[in-house]
Protein backbone atom coordinates (compact mmCIF):
# COMPACT_ATOMS: atom_id res chain seq x y z
CA UNK A 1 0.00 0.00 0.00
CA UNK A 2 1.35 3.39 -0.97
CA UNK A 3 0.69 5.98 1.73
CA UNK A 4 1.39 9.72 1.88
CA UNK A 5 4.64 10.72 3.56
CA UNK A 6 3.08 13.47 5.69
CA UNK A 7 -0.05 13.68 7.87
CA UNK A 8 -1.47 16.16 10.32
CA UNK A 9 -1.86 13.50 13.05
CA UNK A 10 -0.36 10.07 13.63
CA UNK A 11 -1.98 7.71 16.14
CA UNK A 12 0.12 4.79 17.35
CA UNK A 13 -2.26 1.95 18.25
CA UNK A 14 -5.89 1.22 17.37
CA UNK A 15 -7.26 0.01 20.70
CA UNK A 16 -9.97 1.63 22.81
CA UNK A 17 -8.43 5.11 22.93
CA UNK A 18 -6.74 5.03 19.52
CA UNK A 19 -9.88 3.93 17.69
CA UNK A 20 -11.92 6.80 19.14
CA UNK A 21 -9.14 9.27 18.28
CA UNK A 22 -9.05 8.01 14.69
CA UNK A 23 -12.78 8.56 14.35
CA UNK A 24 -12.94 11.98 15.96
CA UNK A 25 -9.78 13.56 14.52
CA UNK A 26 -10.73 12.56 10.96
CA UNK A 27 -14.18 14.17 11.16
CA UNK A 28 -12.81 17.28 9.43
CA UNK A 29 -12.10 16.27 5.80
CA UNK A 30 -9.29 18.82 5.72
CA UNK A 31 -7.39 17.00 8.47
CA UNK A 32 -5.29 13.96 7.53
CA UNK A 33 -4.98 11.17 10.08
CA UNK A 34 -2.96 7.98 10.03
CA UNK A 35 -3.30 5.06 12.46
CA UNK A 36 -0.27 2.79 12.75
CA UNK A 37 -1.12 -0.64 14.18
CA UNK A 38 1.34 -3.49 14.81
CA UNK A 39 -1.35 -6.13 14.30
CA UNK A 40 -3.36 -7.12 11.28
CA UNK A 41 -6.98 -6.81 10.26
CA UNK A 42 -8.55 -10.07 11.37
CA UNK A 43 -11.46 -12.02 9.90
CA UNK A 44 -11.16 -14.76 12.53
CA UNK A 45 -14.76 -15.49 13.62
CA UNK A 46 -13.55 -15.70 17.22
CA UNK A 47 -13.04 -11.94 17.18
CA UNK A 48 -16.78 -11.46 16.66
CA UNK A 49 -18.10 -14.33 18.79
CA UNK A 50 -18.51 -13.05 22.38
CA UNK A 51 -17.42 -16.47 23.64
CA UNK A 52 -14.54 -17.02 21.23
CA UNK A 53 -11.89 -14.70 22.58
CA UNK A 54 -10.16 -17.27 24.83
CA UNK A 55 -9.12 -19.09 21.65
CA UNK A 56 -7.27 -15.93 20.59
CA UNK A 57 -5.00 -15.86 23.64
CA UNK A 58 -1.52 -16.87 22.58
CA UNK A 59 -2.41 -16.51 18.89
CA UNK A 60 -0.91 -14.13 16.33
CA UNK A 61 -3.47 -11.56 17.54
CA UNK A 62 -1.97 -11.51 21.05
CA UNK A 63 1.24 -9.81 22.22
CA UNK A 64 1.33 -12.43 25.04
CA UNK A 65 3.66 -10.33 27.17
CA UNK A 66 5.47 -12.20 29.98
CA UNK A 67 6.09 -10.78 33.41
CA UNK A 68 9.24 -11.31 35.39
CA UNK A 69 9.00 -14.04 38.08
CA UNK A 70 6.69 -12.73 40.81
CA UNK A 71 7.81 -13.52 44.38
CA UNK A 72 4.33 -12.70 45.68
CA UNK A 73 2.85 -15.33 43.36
CA UNK A 74 5.16 -18.23 44.21
CA UNK A 75 7.79 -16.99 41.72
CA UNK A 76 5.50 -17.62 38.77
CA UNK A 77 5.87 -15.82 35.44
CA UNK A 78 2.47 -14.71 34.17
CA UNK A 79 1.35 -13.81 30.67
CA UNK A 80 -0.49 -10.53 30.15
CA UNK A 81 -2.62 -10.97 27.04
CA UNK A 82 -2.88 -7.77 24.97
CA UNK A 83 -4.41 -7.39 21.52
CA UNK A 84 -2.02 -7.23 18.57
CA UNK A 85 -4.75 -6.62 16.00
CA UNK A 86 -6.78 -3.74 14.62
CA UNK A 87 -8.96 -2.82 17.58
CA UNK A 88 -6.22 -3.74 20.05
CA UNK A 89 -7.32 -5.43 23.24
CA UNK A 90 -10.96 -4.51 22.56
CA UNK A 91 -10.81 -7.30 19.96
CA UNK A 92 -9.66 -10.04 22.36
CA UNK A 93 -11.01 -8.95 25.77
CA UNK A 94 -14.01 -10.24 27.75
CA UNK A 95 -16.07 -7.15 26.78
CA UNK A 96 -17.04 -6.16 30.35
CA UNK A 97 -17.98 -2.49 30.47
CA UNK A 98 -17.20 -0.89 33.84
CA UNK A 99 -16.54 2.84 34.02
CA UNK A 100 -15.01 2.75 37.47
CA UNK A 101 -16.09 4.57 40.59
CA UNK A 102 -16.87 8.32 40.43
CA UNK A 103 -14.34 8.86 43.19
CA UNK A 104 -11.61 7.28 41.02
CA UNK A 105 -11.81 10.30 38.74
CA UNK A 106 -12.19 12.80 41.56
CA UNK A 107 -8.99 11.34 43.00
CA UNK A 108 -7.25 11.82 39.65
CA UNK A 109 -8.28 15.47 39.75
CA UNK A 110 -7.05 15.87 43.33
CA UNK A 111 -3.69 14.37 42.32
CA UNK A 112 -3.14 17.00 39.64
CA UNK A 113 -5.20 15.72 36.71
CA UNK A 114 -7.16 18.95 36.44
CA UNK A 115 -10.28 18.54 34.30
CA UNK A 116 -10.62 14.80 34.94
CA UNK A 117 -13.14 14.78 37.80
CA UNK A 118 -16.15 12.52 37.39
CA UNK A 119 -18.42 15.45 36.58
CA UNK A 120 -16.03 16.45 33.81
CA UNK A 121 -15.49 12.99 32.27
CA UNK A 122 -19.10 11.75 32.46
CA UNK A 123 -20.13 13.53 29.22
CA UNK A 124 -17.37 11.67 27.35
CA UNK A 125 -18.57 8.30 28.66
CA UNK A 126 -22.09 9.15 27.51
CA UNK A 127 -20.93 10.44 24.12
CA UNK A 128 -19.52 7.07 23.01
CA UNK A 129 -22.31 4.98 24.45
CA UNK A 130 -25.42 3.47 22.92
CA UNK A 131 -26.89 1.88 26.03
CA UNK A 132 -29.66 -0.64 25.46
CA UNK A 133 -31.27 0.38 28.75
CA UNK A 134 -31.97 3.88 27.45
CA UNK A 135 -30.70 7.39 28.08
CA UNK A 136 -30.50 8.89 31.57
CA UNK A 137 -28.38 11.25 33.61
CA UNK A 138 -25.71 8.54 33.62
CA UNK A 139 -26.16 6.76 30.29
CA UNK A 140 -26.04 7.82 26.66
CA UNK A 141 -27.74 6.52 23.54
CA UNK A 142 -26.86 7.08 19.91
CA UNK A 143 -23.10 6.69 20.39
CA UNK A 144 -20.96 4.33 18.36
CA UNK A 145 -20.37 1.75 21.13
CA UNK A 146 -23.19 -0.69 21.87
CA UNK A 147 -23.48 -1.40 25.61
CA UNK A 148 -26.02 -3.75 27.21
CA UNK A 149 -26.75 -5.58 30.45
CA UNK A 150 -25.55 -9.20 30.48
CA UNK A 151 -27.23 -10.75 27.41
CA UNK A 152 -26.57 -14.35 28.46
CA UNK A 153 -29.79 -15.62 30.10
CA UNK A 154 -28.07 -18.70 31.52
CA UNK A 155 -25.53 -16.42 33.20
CA UNK A 156 -28.05 -14.33 35.14
CA UNK A 157 -28.09 -15.69 38.68
CA UNK A 158 -30.99 -14.88 40.98
CA UNK A 159 -29.19 -16.97 43.62
CA UNK A 160 -26.20 -14.64 43.70
CA UNK A 161 -28.09 -11.38 43.19
CA UNK A 162 -30.74 -12.08 45.84
CA UNK A 163 -28.15 -13.70 48.09
CA UNK A 164 -26.14 -10.48 48.02
CA UNK A 165 -29.26 -8.52 48.97
CA UNK A 166 -29.92 -10.95 51.81
CA UNK A 167 -26.31 -10.41 52.92
CA UNK A 168 -26.95 -6.66 53.23
CA UNK A 169 -26.20 -5.18 49.82
CA UNK A 170 -28.49 -3.26 47.48
CA UNK A 171 -29.98 -4.86 44.39
CA UNK A 172 -30.76 -7.28 42.92
CA UNK A 173 -30.47 -5.35 39.64
CA UNK A 174 -28.17 -2.50 40.63
CA UNK A 175 -26.70 -0.28 37.90
CA UNK A 176 -23.07 0.09 38.94
CA UNK A 177 -22.50 2.51 36.02
CA UNK A 178 -25.19 4.76 37.45
CA UNK A 179 -25.11 7.18 40.37
CA UNK A 180 -23.38 4.82 42.81
CA UNK A 181 -21.12 1.87 42.08
CA UNK A 182 -20.45 0.33 45.48
CA UNK A 183 -22.58 -2.00 47.62
CA UNK A 184 -25.07 -2.92 44.90
CA UNK A 185 -25.37 -6.32 43.20
CA UNK A 186 -26.39 -6.34 39.57
CA UNK A 187 -25.73 -7.58 36.08
CA UNK A 188 -22.43 -6.79 34.40
CA UNK A 189 -22.64 -4.60 31.31
CA UNK A 190 -20.87 -5.54 28.08
CA UNK A 191 -19.82 -3.87 24.84
CA UNK A 192 -21.80 -6.30 22.67
CA UNK A 193 -23.92 -5.28 19.68
CA UNK A 194 -27.70 -5.84 19.48
CA UNK A 195 -27.09 -8.75 17.07
CA UNK A 196 -24.96 -10.50 19.68
CA UNK A 197 -21.48 -9.74 18.30
CA UNK A 198 -18.44 -8.10 19.86
CA UNK A 199 -18.47 -4.29 19.65
CA UNK A 200 -14.75 -3.51 19.45
CA UNK A 201 -12.89 -0.29 18.83
CA UNK A 202 -12.44 -1.45 15.25
CA UNK A 203 -16.08 -2.33 14.56
CA UNK A 204 -17.55 0.64 16.46
CA UNK A 205 -15.21 3.51 15.62
CA UNK A 206 -12.89 2.65 12.71
CA UNK A 207 -14.77 0.47 10.22
CA UNK A 208 -17.75 2.86 9.86
CA UNK A 209 -15.44 5.71 8.77
CA UNK A 210 -12.86 3.85 6.66
CA UNK A 211 -14.31 5.45 3.55
CA UNK A 212 -13.06 8.83 4.69
CA UNK A 213 -10.25 9.71 2.25
CA UNK A 214 -8.38 11.59 4.99
CA UNK A 215 -8.11 8.50 7.26
CA UNK A 216 -5.41 5.90 6.65
CA UNK A 217 -4.89 2.73 8.69
CA UNK A 218 -1.48 1.09 8.31
CA UNK A 219 -1.66 -2.41 9.77
CA UNK A 220 1.11 -4.96 10.46
CA UNK A 221 3.47 -2.06 11.12
CA UNK A 222 5.39 -2.13 14.39
CA UNK A 223 6.49 1.30 15.58
CA UNK A 224 10.16 1.49 16.49
CA UNK A 225 10.29 5.12 17.65
CA UNK A 226 8.77 8.56 17.52
CA UNK A 227 11.08 10.88 15.59
CA UNK A 228 11.98 13.85 17.78
CA UNK A 229 13.92 16.83 16.47
CA UNK A 230 14.82 19.91 18.48
CA UNK A 231 12.39 18.94 21.21
CA UNK A 232 9.43 18.29 18.93
CA UNK A 233 7.80 15.09 17.65
CA UNK A 234 7.88 15.32 13.86
CA UNK A 235 7.26 11.77 12.70
CA UNK A 236 7.00 8.05 13.35
CA UNK A 237 9.33 5.24 12.31
CA UNK A 238 7.98 1.70 11.90
CA UNK A 239 8.84 -1.67 10.41
CA UNK A 240 6.49 -3.19 7.84
CA UNK A 241 7.19 -6.27 5.74
CA UNK A 242 10.74 -6.29 7.06
CA UNK A 243 11.49 -2.74 5.86
CA UNK A 244 11.88 0.39 7.97
CA UNK A 245 9.61 3.26 6.93
CA UNK A 246 8.94 6.76 8.19
CA UNK A 247 6.05 9.16 7.99
CA UNK A 248 6.21 12.82 9.00
CA UNK A 249 3.63 14.64 11.09
CA UNK A 250 2.71 18.32 10.90
CA UNK A 251 0.72 18.65 14.13
CA UNK A 252 0.91 15.81 16.66
CA UNK A 253 1.88 12.22 17.35
CA UNK A 254 -0.46 10.47 19.80
CA UNK A 255 0.81 7.28 21.45
CA UNK A 256 -2.12 4.95 22.24
CA UNK A 257 -0.39 1.59 22.45
CA UNK A 258 -1.44 0.64 25.98
CA UNK A 259 0.20 0.73 29.40
CA UNK A 260 2.89 -1.80 28.47
CA UNK A 261 3.77 -0.72 24.92
CA UNK A 262 3.35 3.08 25.22
CA UNK A 263 6.20 3.50 27.74
CA UNK A 264 8.32 1.16 25.64
CA UNK A 265 7.78 3.33 22.55
CA UNK A 266 8.54 6.50 24.51
CA UNK A 267 11.76 5.05 25.89
CA UNK A 268 12.88 3.81 22.47
CA UNK A 269 12.32 7.41 21.32
CA UNK A 270 14.58 8.81 24.04
CA UNK A 271 11.80 9.86 26.41
CA UNK A 272 12.11 8.32 29.86
CA UNK A 273 14.50 7.86 32.81
CA UNK A 274 17.85 9.17 31.61
CA UNK A 275 19.93 6.57 33.45
CA UNK A 276 17.91 3.68 32.00
CA UNK A 277 18.04 5.09 28.47
CA UNK A 278 21.76 5.72 28.72
CA UNK A 279 22.36 2.16 29.90
CA UNK A 280 20.59 1.00 26.73
CA UNK A 281 22.62 3.30 24.49
CA UNK A 282 19.61 5.46 23.59
CA UNK A 283 20.16 9.23 23.28
CA UNK A 284 18.03 11.14 25.78
CA UNK A 285 15.48 13.52 24.26
CA UNK A 286 13.60 14.18 27.51
CA UNK A 287 14.56 12.95 30.98
CA UNK A 288 11.21 11.80 32.42
CA UNK A 289 11.79 9.39 35.34
CA UNK A 290 8.10 8.47 35.52
CA UNK A 291 7.96 6.72 32.14
CA UNK A 292 7.36 3.03 32.82
CA UNK A 293 6.86 3.53 36.55
CA UNK A 294 3.58 3.43 38.55
CA UNK A 295 2.44 0.16 36.90
CA UNK A 296 -0.80 -1.10 38.45
CA UNK A 297 -2.81 -4.17 37.47
CA UNK A 298 -5.91 -5.98 38.70
CA UNK A 299 -5.58 -9.48 40.19
CA UNK A 300 -8.26 -12.21 40.07
CA UNK A 301 -8.76 -15.39 42.09
CA UNK A 302 -11.20 -18.25 41.31
CA UNK A 303 -13.24 -19.47 44.28
CA UNK A 304 -15.14 -22.65 43.36
CA UNK A 305 -18.35 -24.07 44.83
CA UNK A 306 -20.07 -27.27 43.82
CA UNK A 307 -23.48 -26.46 42.31
CA UNK A 308 -26.57 -28.40 43.38
CA UNK A 309 -28.59 -27.55 40.31
CA UNK A 310 -27.52 -28.42 36.80
CA UNK A 311 -27.28 -25.60 34.27
CA UNK A 312 -25.96 -25.41 30.71
CA UNK A 313 -22.64 -23.73 30.14
CA UNK A 314 -22.65 -19.96 29.88
CA UNK A 315 -21.51 -18.23 26.68
CA UNK A 316 -19.72 -15.45 28.59
CA UNK A 317 -17.12 -15.73 31.34
CA UNK A 318 -19.30 -14.05 33.95
CA UNK A 319 -22.25 -11.71 34.23
CA UNK A 320 -23.15 -10.88 37.85
CA UNK A 321 -21.20 -8.42 39.96
CA UNK A 322 -20.85 -6.67 43.31
CA UNK A 323 -18.43 -3.84 44.14
CA UNK A 324 -17.33 -3.49 47.78
CA UNK A 325 -15.00 -1.42 49.98
CA UNK A 326 -13.29 -4.00 52.18
CA UNK A 327 -11.43 -1.42 54.27
CA UNK A 328 -13.20 1.23 56.34
CA UNK A 329 -10.75 3.91 55.23
CA UNK A 330 -11.16 3.10 51.50
CA UNK A 331 -12.57 5.93 49.39
CA UNK A 332 -13.41 3.64 46.45
CA UNK A 333 -14.24 -0.08 46.11
CA UNK A 334 -11.13 -2.25 46.26
CA UNK A 335 -13.03 -5.47 45.51
CA UNK A 336 -14.99 -6.42 42.42
CA UNK A 337 -16.81 -9.71 42.93
CA UNK A 338 -17.97 -11.46 39.75
CA UNK A 339 -20.12 -14.59 39.78
CA UNK A 340 -20.82 -17.34 37.24
CA UNK A 341 -23.53 -19.94 38.10
CA UNK A 342 -22.13 -22.73 35.87
CA UNK A 343 -19.06 -23.55 33.81
CA UNK A 344 -18.31 -20.87 31.18
CA UNK A 345 -17.97 -22.53 27.78
CA UNK A 346 -14.98 -20.33 26.77
CA UNK A 347 -13.01 -21.70 29.75
CA UNK A 348 -14.32 -25.27 29.78
CA UNK A 349 -11.22 -26.76 28.08
CA UNK A 350 -8.97 -24.99 30.62
CA UNK A 351 -10.82 -25.91 33.82
CA UNK A 352 -10.14 -29.09 35.79
CA UNK A 353 -12.87 -31.74 35.94
CA UNK A 354 -14.67 -31.25 39.24
CA UNK A 355 -16.92 -34.24 38.60
CA UNK A 356 -20.08 -32.20 38.24
CA UNK A 357 -21.47 -28.72 37.99
CA UNK A 358 -19.73 -25.85 39.70
CA UNK A 359 -20.40 -22.19 40.45
CA UNK A 360 -17.51 -19.75 40.31
CA UNK A 361 -16.98 -16.64 42.40
CA UNK A 362 -14.24 -14.39 41.02
CA UNK A 363 -12.99 -11.82 43.50
CA UNK A 364 -10.85 -9.15 41.83
CA UNK A 365 -8.45 -6.77 43.54
CA UNK A 366 -9.22 -3.47 41.80
CA UNK A 367 -7.22 -1.01 43.91
CA UNK A 368 -3.81 -2.64 44.27
CA UNK A 369 -1.32 -1.10 46.68
CA UNK A 370 1.49 -2.98 44.92
CA UNK A 371 3.19 -0.87 42.26
CA UNK A 372 5.42 -2.21 39.48
CA UNK A 373 7.31 -1.03 36.43
CA UNK A 374 7.97 -1.45 32.72
CA UNK A 375 11.50 -1.15 31.35
CA UNK A 376 13.27 -1.86 28.11
CA UNK A 377 14.78 -5.30 27.79
CA UNK A 378 17.19 -3.90 25.22
CA UNK A 379 17.39 -1.18 22.58
CA UNK A 380 15.99 -3.62 20.01
CA UNK A 381 12.41 -2.47 19.24
CA UNK A 382 11.39 -6.06 18.49
CA UNK A 383 12.21 -7.20 22.02
CA UNK A 384 9.29 -7.43 24.43
CA UNK A 385 9.43 -5.01 27.36
CA UNK A 386 10.59 -6.08 30.81
CA UNK A 387 7.41 -6.13 32.93
CA UNK A 388 7.41 -6.39 36.72
CA UNK A 389 3.91 -5.79 38.14
CA UNK A 390 5.17 -6.59 41.68
CA UNK A 391 2.00 -8.55 42.46
CA UNK A 392 1.37 -8.83 46.23
CA UNK A 393 4.38 -6.67 46.92
CA UNK A 394 2.20 -4.86 49.47
CA UNK A 395 0.58 -6.95 52.25
CA UNK A 396 -2.71 -5.02 52.03
CA UNK A 397 -3.45 -6.68 48.67
CA UNK A 398 -3.47 -10.14 50.23
CA UNK A 399 -5.84 -8.87 52.93
CA UNK A 400 -8.42 -7.84 50.30
CA UNK A 401 -8.69 -11.49 49.23
CA UNK A 402 -9.08 -12.57 52.86
CA UNK A 403 -12.02 -10.14 53.15
CA UNK A 404 -13.35 -11.36 49.79
CA UNK A 405 -13.53 -14.93 51.07
CA UNK A 406 -15.53 -13.74 54.07
CA UNK A 407 -18.00 -11.94 51.80
CA UNK A 408 -18.29 -14.92 49.44
CA UNK A 409 -19.01 -17.32 52.28
CA UNK A 410 -21.58 -14.93 53.74
CA UNK A 411 -23.43 -14.80 50.41
CA UNK A 412 -23.11 -18.56 49.94
CA UNK A 413 -24.71 -19.14 53.36
CA UNK A 414 -27.86 -17.15 52.54
CA UNK A 415 -31.24 -18.75 51.98
CA UNK A 416 -31.38 -17.31 48.46
CA UNK A 417 -28.13 -19.07 47.51
CA UNK A 418 -28.93 -22.36 49.26
CA UNK A 419 -30.55 -23.93 46.18
CA UNK A 420 -27.23 -23.62 44.35
CA UNK A 421 -24.72 -24.17 47.17
CA UNK A 422 -23.32 -27.69 47.08
CA UNK A 423 -20.32 -26.81 49.23
CA UNK A 424 -17.03 -24.98 48.81
CA UNK A 425 -14.45 -26.85 46.73
CA UNK A 426 -11.62 -24.31 46.64
CA UNK A 427 -9.87 -22.95 48.56
CA UNK A 428 -11.75 -24.75 51.36
CA UNK A 429 -10.95 -24.47 55.08
CA UNK A 430 -7.61 -23.43 56.51
CA UNK A 431 -5.10 -20.68 55.75
CA UNK A 432 -5.85 -19.48 52.21
CA UNK A 433 -2.54 -17.69 51.57
CA UNK A 434 -0.94 -20.53 49.65
CA UNK A 435 -4.01 -20.87 47.45
CA UNK A 436 -4.11 -17.11 46.82
CA UNK A 437 -0.45 -16.91 45.85
CA UNK A 438 -0.51 -19.97 43.58
CA UNK A 439 -3.94 -19.61 41.95
CA UNK A 440 -4.34 -15.85 41.49
CA UNK A 441 -3.55 -14.27 38.13
CA UNK A 442 -3.67 -11.04 36.20
CA UNK A 443 -6.97 -9.68 34.88
CA UNK A 444 -5.01 -8.07 32.01
CA UNK A 445 -5.70 -4.47 33.09
CA UNK A 446 -2.27 -2.78 33.23
CA UNK A 447 -2.41 0.97 33.80
CA UNK A 448 -0.56 4.00 35.09
CA UNK A 449 2.85 3.88 33.38
CA UNK A 450 2.66 7.37 31.78
CA UNK A 451 0.56 9.05 34.42
CA UNK A 452 -1.13 12.45 34.31
CA UNK A 453 0.15 14.96 36.84
CA UNK A 454 0.98 18.55 37.56
CA UNK A 455 4.26 20.30 36.84
CA UNK A 456 5.19 19.89 40.50
CA UNK A 457 5.04 16.08 40.28
CA UNK A 458 8.45 14.83 39.12
CA UNK A 459 6.99 11.44 38.18
CA UNK A 460 4.22 12.83 35.98
CA UNK A 461 4.74 11.96 32.31
CA UNK A 462 1.88 13.94 30.76
CA UNK A 463 0.08 17.11 31.79
CA UNK A 464 -3.72 17.23 32.18
CA UNK A 465 -3.99 17.80 28.40
CA UNK A 466 -2.03 14.53 27.93
CA UNK A 467 0.95 16.40 26.45
CA UNK A 468 4.29 14.71 27.14
CA UNK A 469 6.42 16.93 29.33
CA UNK A 470 9.47 18.32 27.59
CA UNK A 471 8.44 17.32 24.04
CA UNK A 472 6.19 19.39 21.82
CA UNK A 473 3.66 17.76 19.49
CA UNK A 474 3.56 14.51 21.47
CA UNK A 475 0.74 13.11 23.60
CA UNK A 476 -0.18 9.81 25.24
CA UNK A 477 -3.80 8.69 25.38
CA UNK A 478 -4.62 5.25 26.81
CA UNK A 479 -4.76 3.47 30.17
CA UNK A 480 -1.14 4.36 30.84
CA UNK A 481 -2.13 7.94 31.72
CA UNK A 482 -4.30 6.86 34.67
CA UNK A 483 -2.71 8.17 37.89
CA UNK A 484 -4.47 5.31 39.70
CA UNK A 485 -6.21 2.36 38.06
CA UNK A 486 -10.00 2.45 38.03
CA UNK A 487 -12.16 0.24 40.26
CA UNK A 488 -13.23 -2.19 37.55
CA UNK A 489 -12.38 -3.35 34.03
CA UNK A 490 -10.42 -0.59 32.33
CA UNK A 491 -11.75 -0.60 28.75
CA UNK A 492 -14.65 1.82 29.39
CA UNK A 493 -12.32 4.42 30.86
CA UNK A 494 -9.93 3.89 27.95
CA UNK A 495 -12.69 4.69 25.45
CA UNK A 496 -13.43 7.79 27.53
CA UNK A 497 -9.76 8.83 27.51
CA UNK A 498 -9.83 8.70 23.71
CA UNK A 499 -12.94 10.88 23.60
CA UNK A 500 -11.53 13.49 25.96
CA UNK A 501 -8.12 13.45 24.27
CA UNK A 502 -9.70 14.07 20.86
CA UNK A 503 -11.68 16.99 22.27
CA UNK A 504 -8.56 18.56 23.79
CA UNK A 505 -6.47 18.03 20.67
CA UNK A 506 -9.07 19.61 18.41
CA UNK A 507 -9.46 22.53 20.83
CA UNK A 508 -5.70 23.11 20.98
CA UNK A 509 -5.26 22.96 17.20
Amino acid sequence: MNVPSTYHYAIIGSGASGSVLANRLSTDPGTSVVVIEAGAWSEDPNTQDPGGFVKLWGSDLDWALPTTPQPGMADRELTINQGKVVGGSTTINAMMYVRGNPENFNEWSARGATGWSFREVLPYFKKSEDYAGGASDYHGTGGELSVCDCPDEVMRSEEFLKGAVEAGYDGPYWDYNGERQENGAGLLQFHISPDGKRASGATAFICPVLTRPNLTVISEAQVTRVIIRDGRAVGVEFVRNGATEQIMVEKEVIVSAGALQSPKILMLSGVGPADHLTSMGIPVAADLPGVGQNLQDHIQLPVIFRAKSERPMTTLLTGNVLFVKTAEEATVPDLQLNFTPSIPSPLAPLLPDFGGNVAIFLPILVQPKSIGSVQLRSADPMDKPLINPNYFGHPADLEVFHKALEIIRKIADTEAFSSLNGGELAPGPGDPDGFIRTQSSTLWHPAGTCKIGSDTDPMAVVDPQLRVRGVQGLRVADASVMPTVTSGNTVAASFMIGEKAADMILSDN
Side-chain angles (χ1 to χ4, degrees):
M1 179 178 65
N2 292 321
V3 299
S5 59
T6 303
Y7 293 84
H8 291 112
Y9 297 104
I11 303 164
I12 301 172
S14 63
S17 301
S19 62
V20 176
L21 281 159
N23 184 298
R24 304 303 188 225
L25 295 184
S26 63
T27 301
D28 178 0
T31 299
S32 57
V33 178
V34 61
V35 180
I36 307 169
E37 166 58 51
W41 288 97
S42 177
E43 296 181 359
D44 189 322
N46 289 306
T47 64
Q48 296 301 306
D49 176 5
F53 60 94
V54 174
K55 298 174 184 176
L56 302 174
W57 295 345
S59 73
D60 290 342
L61 308 187
D62 179 12
W63 284 101
L65 298 170
T67 70
T68 59
Q70 296 296 292
M73 287 186 170
D75 290 321
R76 290 179 293 146
E77 294 182 12
L78 278 70
T79 297
I80 303 180
N81 305 103
Q82 300 278 275
K84 186 181 181 182
V85 58
V86 177
S89 293
T90 71
T91 302
I92 72 167
N93 70 356
M95 298 155 291
M96 298 171 204
Y97 188 85
V98 182
R99 291 174 177 172
N101 190 274
E103 288 305 313
N104 288 140
F105 307 102
N106 293 337
E107 182 180 354
W108 290 7
S109 180
R111 287 178 174 232
T114 306
W116 292 83
S117 69
F118 181 67
R119 176 184 59 82
E120 291 165 305
V121 302
L122 178 58
Y124 296 106
F125 279 115
K126 293 172 68 176
K127 181 179 180 179
S128 294
E129 189 180 63
D130 189 16
Y131 178 53
S136 69
D137 289 344
Y138 294 93
H139 285 286
T141 55
E144 288 84 355
L145 188 69
S146 297
V147 177
C148 63
D149 296 333
C150 176
D152 182 350
E153 293 293 336
V154 175
M155 176 65 73
R156 300 183 178 205
S157 172
E158 292 282 321
E159 299 92 342
F160 172 81
L161 297 174
K162 291 183 177 179
V165 173
E166 192 177 331
Y169 301 101
D170 292 324
Y173 293 102
W174 192 259
D175 178 8
Y176 62 83
N177 279 330
E179 182 177 5
R180 172 165 60 86
Q181 180 197 40
E182 64 269 21
N183 297 329
L187 299 175
L188 269 166
Q189 294 169 22
F190 292 81
H191 50 99
I192 293 176
S193 65
D195 62 354
K197 295 181 180 179
R198 170 186 296 273
S200 69
T203 62
F205 293 99
I206 296 179
C207 291
V209 298
L210 272 177
T211 56
R212 291 176 181 171
N214 61 322
L215 175 62
T216 301
V217 178
I218 304 176
S219 60
E220 299 179 82
Q222 185 166 339
V223 170
T224 55
R225 66 184 177 110
V226 176
I227 303 168
I228 300 173
R229 294 176 185 163
D230 299 324
R232 182 175 187 84
V234 298
V236 179
E237 181 179 276
F238 55 91
V239 172
R240 181 170 54 147
N241 297 324
T244 299
E245 302 180 40
Q246 293 183 349
I247 58 168
M248 307 312 291
V249 175
E250 293 183 1
K251 290 187 176 181
E252 295 194 25
V253 175
I254 305 107
V255 184
S256 297
L260 304 179
Q261 300 285 7
S262 285
K264 174 190 169 183
I265 290 169
L266 289 184
M267 287 186 281
L268 289 170
S269 308
V271 178
D275 54 350
H276 180 53
L277 301 183
T278 301
S279 72
M280 295 289 164
I282 297 172
V284 178
D287 180 11
L288 292 182
V291 174
Q293 303 302 303
N294 192 48
L295 173 62
Q296 298 156 59
D297 191 16
H298 294 156
I299 306 173
Q300 62 180 338
L301 179 75
V303 177
I304 314 296
F305 277 68
R306 188 172 301 286
K308 285 183 181 177
S309 57
E310 186 172 345
R311 290 192 184 184
M313 290 184 182
T314 62
T315 58
L316 301 173
L317 289 188
T318 188
N320 312 275
V321 71
L322 170 67
F323 293 90
V324 180
K325 299 176 185 178
T326 67
E328 290 184 6
E329 68 276 12
T331 57
V332 296
D334 52 12
L335 172 67
Q336 175 178 339
L337 181 58
N338 293 351
F339 178 75
T340 305
S342 63
I343 295 175
S345 59
L347 287 184
L350 307 178
L351 289 174
D353 183 5
F354 291 100
N357 275 23
V358 297
I360 304 171
F361 290 88
L362 193 71
I364 303 164
L365 170 70
V366 290
Q367 286 293 291
K369 302 290 186 184
S370 305
I371 305 297
S373 65
V374 176
Q375 293 182 307
L376 295 177
R377 192 176 299 269
S378 75
D380 183 352
M382 300 301 129
D383 272 355
K384 293 181 177 181
L386 196 64
I387 302 165
N388 177 18
N390 191 31
Y391 296 127
F392 294 119
H394 195 293
D397 293 346
L398 199 68
E399 184 61 24
V400 172
F401 284 112
H402 287 186
K403 296 286 183 64
L405 287 171
E406 294 176 10
I407 293 169
I408 289 168
R409 288 162 180 164
K410 184 177 181 181
I411 293 173
D413 284 343
T414 62
E415 180 64 29
F417 198 81
S418 62
S419 62
L420 188 59
N421 186 359
E424 182 178 332
L425 292 174
D431 183 359
D433 284 7
F435 180 83
I436 295 170
R437 293 190 185 280
T438 59
Q439 301 305 312
S440 58
S441 63
T442 174
L443 201 64
W444 317 286
H445 295 160
T449 52
C450 300
K451 73 170 185 174
I452 306 170
S454 67
D455 290 341
T456 59
D457 182 353
M459 299 302 286
V461 176
V462 299
D463 69 10
Q465 286 71 47
L466 306 187
R467 297 174 297 206
V468 175
R469 297 168 62 186
V471 183
Q472 294 183 319
L474 181 61
R475 299 194 206 221
V476 179
D478 55 31
S480 70
V481 305
M482 298 180 180
T484 55
V485 68
T486 52
S487 294
N489 305 65
T490 52
V491 69
S494 297
F495 281 121
M496 177 276 291
I497 288 167
E499 286 282 16
K500 186 168 172 59
D503 198 22
M504 293 188 295
I505 291 167
L506 292 171
S507 297
D508 285 353
N509 289 283

